[in-house]
């Protein structure tokens, strides 16, 4: 076997094979190209959509038949995103493995339509901890351990490993933060080294922002130029600029940026604000971004497969049905940051609602309601306090996951109101626990029912800490210590949940589903001591762990309430644009039925 040529980075080998009848036949074996890396960095400011840009590049390259993997780098020193306040950092997105990650990982899974592995998420905390542990174990042979090369090389190894376990051809790696931050310098340095060693296999994309100051009325390109120049000072040249702005870029600005940043004009991609993030891959496809990337990476052209048609249909459909609005309330507490409202803390919930609305053919209008506004409620069932009538105008109410005491009484009041007034109610994790407490207090008659999370001395701990959690908290082990990741649940035949999972499918026929697997993130659970009392009073536990000890789904029968259902798990983490979640879809169907005439 002899290496003959390297053409466009494709290694061509000539192999001699023996003919059974004697002599040799010459066959040509074309090996796969070198592994390719696309690094996505942010310029000018954070929050311009690097995550969506990276996800969308993943979607268009997958649609061209490439095996790709997406990696998110978070420069903070936290080991994972589990210990961060959602108003600081947005939602903590849980993977099957239980790793608590950045909300961008949720976008990656949704745009790729598949589960990601824990190796697809890297934080500085993980890297530094690993290097320090190796140093303590004498793994560096007595050397002085330093940021360069040890931290940098640890990062390079992680990039490579993620591509190997995903068996991918192209890695898309999003480096969190903005060019100019201290935190992400080592990651940029790792990317630089990869480029230096493999000049034809690495591409740098800068997702930048072009502001149009109101007083000027003109779009300014200088901050983008500066960001590109700053990146160049690290030894990294930008190959492609995704120019985010409120409006499309004109040719003049494209040419100006291209000249100042030393790239061809076609490498400046205009990415104006749009109504739906699911249009971004469609726009990238129109702008031939995949072709530009393949050419820059010396890869052959590929046709876009038919699966992309499905994506396009969904992207169109998700914006549709303006004439069928449904009011959906999300009652939470992680909305306010300073004077601003941040719905990011519930990102997966919002997206899950969108996907199911698309197939139920309605337009969801989301109302973010602060639970603190509902803290006072009359004890008399029929008496309606003014504020609560807002709930009458809702077609469905969701209480999502949460922690701690604040806003809890308000949430309990909202749940009670929904139950008594037959408003569709969907409780996610804390929302299920609170629904159980509400039922215990107001139907079973256990006035002092509570969760150990709020009042560990309460007379009726209907929700109690999980046995293994007690020890962890006593030892102060808060990081990655909840019940995390995917676990199975057995469903009760004939229940709303079991039927929703069974009769659901976009193109598929109904399929009897008796067991499901869902993602979890909690420390507390329904106390088994109260199950009998709750069941006798009418609450149905329609999903239980296989050994029957953990209550995974609670619901009221259809003849009592159209949809009063809660899950101990987080169904929103498995909702995908092309595979909406059955429970969200059932909830939206019932919400639609409540709104007569649409
Ligand atoms: N705080 C509750 C628990 O830890 C619920 C968690 C959640 O909603 N994710 O059990």
């Amino acid at each position: 076997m002899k290496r003959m040529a390297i053409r466009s980075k494709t290694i061509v080998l000539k192999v001699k094979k023996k003919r059974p009848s004697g002599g040799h036949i010459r066959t040509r074996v074309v090996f796969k190209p070198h592994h390719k890396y696309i690094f996505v960095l942010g310029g000018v400011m954070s929050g311009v959509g690097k995550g969506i840009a990276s996800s969308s590049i993943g979607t268009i390259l997958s649609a061209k038949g490439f095996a790709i993997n997406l990696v998110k780098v978070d420069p903070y020193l936290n080991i994972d995103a589990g210990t961060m306040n959602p108003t600081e950092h947005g939602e903590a997105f849980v993977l099957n493995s239980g790793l608590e990650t950045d909300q961008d990982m949720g976008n990656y899974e949704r745009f790729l339509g598949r589960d990601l592995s824990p190796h697809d998420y890297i934080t500085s905390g993980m890297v530094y901890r690993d290097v320090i542990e190796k140093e303590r174990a004498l793994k560096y042979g007595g050397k002085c351990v330093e940021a360069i090369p040890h931290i940098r090389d640890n990062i390079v190894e992680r990039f490579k490993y993620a591509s190997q376990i995903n068996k991918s051809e192209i890695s898309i790696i999003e480096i969190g933060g903005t060019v100019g931050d201290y935190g992400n310098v080592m990651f940029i340095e790792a990317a630089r080294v990869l480029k230096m060693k493999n000049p034809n296999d690495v591409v740098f994309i800068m997702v930048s922002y072009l502001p149009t100051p109101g007083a000027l009325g003109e779009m300014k390109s200088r901050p983008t130029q500066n960001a590109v120049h700053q990146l160049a000072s690290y030894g990294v040249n930008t190959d492609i600029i995704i120019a985010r702005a409120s409006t499309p870029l004109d040719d003049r600005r494209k040419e100006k940026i291209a000249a100042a940043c030393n790239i061809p004009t076609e490498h400046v991609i205009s990415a104006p604000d749009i109504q739906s993030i699911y249009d971004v891959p469609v726009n990238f496809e129109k702008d031939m971004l995949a072709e530009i990337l393949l050419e820059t990476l010396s890869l052959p052209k590929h046709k876009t497969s038919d699966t992309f048609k499905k994506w396009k249909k969904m992207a169109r459909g998700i914006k549709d049905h303006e004439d069928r609005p449904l009011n959906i309330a999300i009652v939470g507490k992680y909305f306010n940051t300073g004077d601003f409202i941040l719905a990011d803390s519930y990102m997966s919930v919002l997206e899950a609602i969108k996907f199911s609305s698309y197939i139920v053919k309605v337009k969801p209008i989301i109302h973010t309601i602060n639970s603190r506004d509902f803290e006072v409620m009359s004890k008399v069932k029929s008496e309606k306090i003014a504020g609560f009538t807002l709930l009458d105008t809702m077609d469905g109410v969701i209480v999502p996951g949460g922690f701690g005491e604040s806003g809890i009484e308000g949430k309990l009041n909202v749940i009670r109101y929904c139950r008594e007034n037959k408003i569709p109610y969907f409780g996610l994790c804390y929302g299920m626990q609170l629904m159980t407490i509400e039922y215990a207090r107001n139907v079973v008659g256990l006035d002092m029912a509570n969760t150990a999370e709020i009042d560990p001395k309460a007379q009726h701990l209907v929700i109690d800490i999980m046995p293994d959690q007690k020890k962890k908290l006593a030892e102060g082990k808060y990081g990655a210590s909840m019940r995390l990741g995917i676990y199975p649940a057995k469903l009760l035949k004939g229940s709303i949940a079991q039927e929703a999972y069974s009769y659901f499918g976009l193109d598929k026929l109904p399929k009897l589903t008796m067991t499901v697997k869902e993602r979890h993130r909690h420390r507390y659970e329904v106390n088994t001591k109260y199950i009998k009392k709750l069941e006798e009073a009418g609450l149905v536990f329609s999903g239980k762990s296989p050994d029957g000890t953990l209550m995974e789904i609670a619901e009221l029968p259809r003849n009592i309430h159209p949809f009063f259902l809660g899950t101990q798990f987080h169904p929103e983490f498995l909702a995908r644009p092309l595979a909406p979640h059955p429970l969200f879809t059932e909830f939206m169907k019932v919400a639609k039925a409540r709104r007569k005439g649409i």
Side-chain angles (χ1 to χ4, degrees):
M1 193 164 75
K2 193 164 139 202
R3 176 175 288 216
M4 293 301 289
I6 296 178
R7 202 179 299 150
S8 303
K9 279 288 150 202
T10 302
I11 306 164
V12 182
L13 298 167
K14 283 195 175 171
V15 181
K16 271 186 186 174
K17 265 193 188 168
K18 268 198 179 156
R19 246 185 248 269
S21 53
H24 284 95
I25 3 164
R26 288 200 130 197
T27 29
R28 211 169 71 107
V29 180
V30 181
F31 274 65
K32 278 194 169 169
H34 288 171
H35 188 80
K36 308 287 180 180
Y37 292 94
I38 297 171
F39 286 98
V40 180
L41 298 111
V44 180
M45 64 186 200
S46 64
V48 293
K50 279 198 307 287
I52 299 300
S54 308
S55 311
S56 303
I57 292 168
T59 308
I60 55 170
L61 289 178
S62 296
K64 290 211 176 280
F66 287 96
I68 66 115
N69 73 303
L70 275 158
V71 173
K72 171 78 202 261
V73 162
D74 261 335
Y76 45 64
L77 285 169
N78 303 58
I79 302 287
D80 56 46
T83 51
M84 276 179 272
N85 185 335
T87 43
E88 289 273 318
H89 191 72
E91 163 189 276
F93 186 83
V94 181
L95 304 182
N96 280 350
S97 64
L99 185 69
E100 297 161 283
T101 70
D102 180 78
Q103 63 189 23
D104 274 332
M105 293 291 279
N107 284 321
Y108 292 2
E109 286 200 346
R110 292 188 279 268
F111 277 68
L112 292 184
R114 68 171 166 88
D115 301 335
L116 293 183
S117 88
H119 307 285
D120 303 325
Y121 183 62
I122 307 174
T123 65
S124 294
M126 291 179 191
V127 174
Y128 277 81
R129 180 166 76 172
D130 191 22
V131 169
I132 291 168
E133 279 174 1
K134 284 191 172 125
E135 182 276 323
R136 293 287 80 188
L138 262 185
K139 294 267 166 66
Y140 295 109
K143 283 211 175 75
C144 171
V145 179
E146 294 184 88
I148 296 176
H150 301 100
I151 294 291
R152 179 194 65 198
D153 292 355
N154 186 291
I155 295 170
V156 171
E157 286 313 311
R158 283 168 190 269
F159 289 164
K160 288 185 179 166
Y161 189 68
S163 72
Q164 283 159 12
I165 65 150
N166 281 290
K167 296 193 177 61
S168 81
E169 297 164 287
I170 307 174
S171 298
I172 301 158
I173 302 176
E174 177 193 348
I175 300 190
T178 311
V179 171
D181 293 349
Y182 283 116
N184 58 17
V185 169
M186 277 303 121
F187 293 99
I188 299 177
E189 171 60 9
R192 184 192 69 78
V193 168
L194 270 174
K195 171 88 176 181
M196 184 188 72
K197 293 189 177 159
N198 314 277
N200 293 320
D201 303 327
V202 181
V203 157
F204 287 95
I205 300 183
M206 165 91 72
V207 182
S208 189
Y209 191 75
L210 283 84
T212 306
L216 290 178
E218 190 200 4
M219 191 187 284
K220 304 304 283 181
S221 68
R222 174 73 67 202
T224 295
Q225 295 175 34
N226 287 346
V228 170
H229 295 158
Q230 181 154 20
L231 186 60
S233 73
Y234 297 154
V236 171
N237 292 321
T238 304
D239 298 295
I240 293 165
I241 295 174
I242 294 179
R244 291 276 298 107
S246 50
T247 53
L249 251 66
D250 55 4
D251 287 345
R252 192 151 156 213
R253 250 142 286 252
K254 276 192 183 175
E255 280 157 20
K256 204 168 155 187
I257 293 174
C261 301
N262 223 3
I263 57 173
T265 318
E266 319 79 77
H267 285 207
V268 182
I269 310 285
S270 169
D273 289 347
I274 44 175
Q275 196 191 335
S276 158
I277 53 172
Y278 301 102
D279 276 335
V280 177
V282 183
N283 291 348
F284 280 178
E285 164 83 358
K286 270 190 223 142
D287 287 336
M288 313 277 284
L289 179 57
E291 281 72 15
I292 295 172
L293 281 165
L294 296 182
E295 198 195 314
T296 318
L297 288 166
S298 315
L299 285 169
K301 278 195 181 132
H302 275 225
K303 270 206 178 129
T304 302
S305 73
D306 277 352
T307 53
F308 198 57
K309 282 195 189 137
K310 269 193 183 173
W311 183 277
K312 279 190 182 162
K313 195 173 160 217
M314 174 279 298
R316 266 198 311 274
I318 231 163
K319 295 179 294 188
D320 241 1
H321 312 301
E322 293 280 355
D323 53 335
R324 293 176 183 169
L326 280 193
N327 293 316
I328 304 295
I330 299 188
V331 185
K333 67 165 177 172
Y334 301 123
F335 289 126
N336 303 342
T337 98
D339 290 341
F340 298 91
I341 303 279
L342 184 81
D344 262 17
S345 329
Y346 304 111
M347 183 182 268
S348 294
V349 178
L350 298 173
E351 298 313 298
I353 296 171
K354 274 187 207 164
F355 310 147
S356 288
S357 299
Y358 156 57
I359 54 169
V360 174
K361 298 194 169 45
V362 293
K363 177 92 194 166
I365 312 292
I366 304 292
H367 302 260
T368 51
I369 296 181
N370 199 324
S371 53
R372 292 194 189 107
D373 300 344
F374 292 86
E375 263 158 13
V376 185
M377 192 195 198
S378 166
K379 285 272 174 222
V380 187
K381 180 178 161 180
S382 53
E383 191 181 316
K384 286 185 180 176
I385 292 208
F388 282 77
T389 50
L390 171 72
L391 297 173
D392 290 333
T393 64
M394 295 294 139
D395 301 302
V397 172
I398 293 181
V399 172
F403 295 85
E405 193 176 0
S406 68
I408 289 307
E409 290 304 319
K411 285 185 188 173
L412 286 166
N413 287 338
V414 167
I415 297 169
R416 176 182 162 196
Y417 194 87
C418 289
R419 185 177 51 75
E420 290 177 348
N421 295 285
K422 300 205 181 340
I423 301 169
Y425 170 78
F426 194 10
L428 310 171
C429 203
Y430 215 7
M432 179 262 205
Q433 297 176 353
L434 295 173
M435 158 185 164
T436 311
I437 295 171
E438 187 281 320
Y439 206 77
R441 283 190 190 176
N442 303 317
V443 182
V444 185
L446 306 173
D447 279 0
M448 306 308 277
N450 215 329
T451 162
E453 181 167 357
I454 297 174
D455 181 7
K457 296 202 175 76
Q459 191 187 348
H460 297 292
L461 284 180
V462 171
I463 305 294
D464 204 358
I465 190 153
M466 302 182 80
D468 60 328
Q469 291 291 328
K470 247 186 197 153
K471 195 167 164 263
K472 288 179 187 166
L473 294 194
E475 291 168 356
K477 289 187 177 144
Y478 287 95
S481 65
M482 286 188 236
R483 178 171 180 247
L484 291 166
I486 203 140
Y487 288 97
K490 276 198 171 161
L491 305 176
L492 179 73
K493 193 129 190 246
S495 61
I496 294 179
Q498 187 263 327
E499 288 184 357
Y501 278 106
S502 297
Y503 288 95
F504 173 81
L506 279 183
D507 318 311
K508 291 175 234 132
L509 291 170
K511 189 171 145 255
L512 181 72
T513 307
M514 294 306 298
T515 308
V516 289
K517 284 184 175 169
E518 294 280 359
R519 293 183 185 174
H520 296 71
R521 184 172 187 247
H522 63 114
R523 284 189 208 285
Y524 299 83
E525 60 169 331
V526 177
N527 188 341
T528 40
K529 277 193 231 153
Y530 289 92
I531 290 172
K532 204 161 163 256
K533 272 204 176 104
L534 289 159
E535 281 178 341
E536 279 167 6
L539 194 63
V540 177
F541 290 104
S542 53
K544 294 183 182 177
S545 60
D547 66 0
T549 58
L550 273 158
M551 302 304 106
E552 295 279 16
I553 308 174
E555 62 179 75
L556 280 182
R558 268 199 193 90
N559 58 343
I560 306 287
H561 194 290
F563 192 97
F564 189 71
L565 185 147
T567 59
Q568 182 56 83
F569 48 82
H570 289 269
E572 68 272 22
F573 290 150
L574 287 180
R576 309 264 161 87
L578 299 180
H581 195 285
L583 293 180
F584 275 94
T585 304
E586 184 62 26
F587 170 68
M588 292 307 295
K589 269 189 200 160
V590 177
K592 183 180 178 184
R594 174 177 159 83
R595 175 67 73 94
K596 292 178 188 74
I598 67 167

